[in-house]
Amino acid sequence: MSEEAKPVTSIKTPMRLEYRYTAGEATSRFLRGIAQGKILGQRCPSCKKVYVPPRGSCPRCAVPTAEEVQVSDKGTVTTFAIVRVPSENIDVPLPFASTHIVLDGADLPFFSVVQECPVEKIRIGMRVQAVWVPKDELGPTLQSIRYFKPIDEPDVPFEKLQEML
């Protein structure tokens, strides 16, 4: 087989993705709340569940949500994964816990990281609280919440966690 007739089996090429996200009405209000150091959700008028961040409609009932509800920046870890693999896009020191946290007053887990605690001590049911950037650095971005840290409150029992989810 000549050099020209050999099949190409792979290539390497640089790739870049650029996109622009336009926040809708519900997300815009949520982000403006974050810029004020508040976490806002929306309550479904049918099932009464509070969604954070809000999406403008209830995923269960398929109805618009408009009632805003401020929830706590404290919550409960409902699941987690320990990240030990480095990536050029992660600026959190390894290892760290990537977590789902149900904030007090909300019914949908919020995605964040837990720090100020050895990863071996992270557990489901652990109570945590947001660590915010200084007030003069607050902005309409989730980066205004640096991470969550454990707080001195008892773990939520498994039975209560099942009710939360």
Side-chain angles (χ1 to χ4, degrees), residues 16-88:
R16 182 179 174 145
L17 282 175
E18 288 187 33
Y19 63 93
R20 192 177 297 235
Y21 172 78
T22 302
E25 190 176 311
T27 304
S28 293
R29 282 192 288 224
F30 169 75
L31 292 172
R32 282 194 289 274
I34 292 290
Q36 297 172 9
K38 298 188 286 188
I39 301 175
L40 302 175
Q42 287 185 340
R43 184 184 320 276
C44 173
S46 180
C47 69
K48 306 301 182 197
K49 293 205 176 286
V50 175
Y51 295 100
V52 176
R55 290 160 177 83
S57 65
C58 176
R60 291 181 182 207
C61 304
V63 297
T65 54
E67 179 189 350
E68 286 191 354
V69 178
Q70 182 173 346
V71 301
S72 176
D73 67 351
K74 292 181 181 181
T76 304
V77 174
T78 59
T79 189
F80 66 94
I82 305 301
V83 179
R84 299 177 190 276
V85 179
S87 171
E88 63 186 48

Side-chain angles (χ1 to χ4, degrees), residues 133-160:
V133 298
K135 285 191 186 242
D136 62 333
E137 294 178 27
L138 286 171
T141 171
L142 284 177
Q143 291 177 333
S144 290
I145 298 175
R146 294 174 54 210
Y147 53 84
F148 282 75
K149 69 176 183 177
I151 55 177
D152 190 22
E153 290 184 8
D155 287 2
V156 172
F158 179 73
E159 297 76 27
K160 178 78 172 156

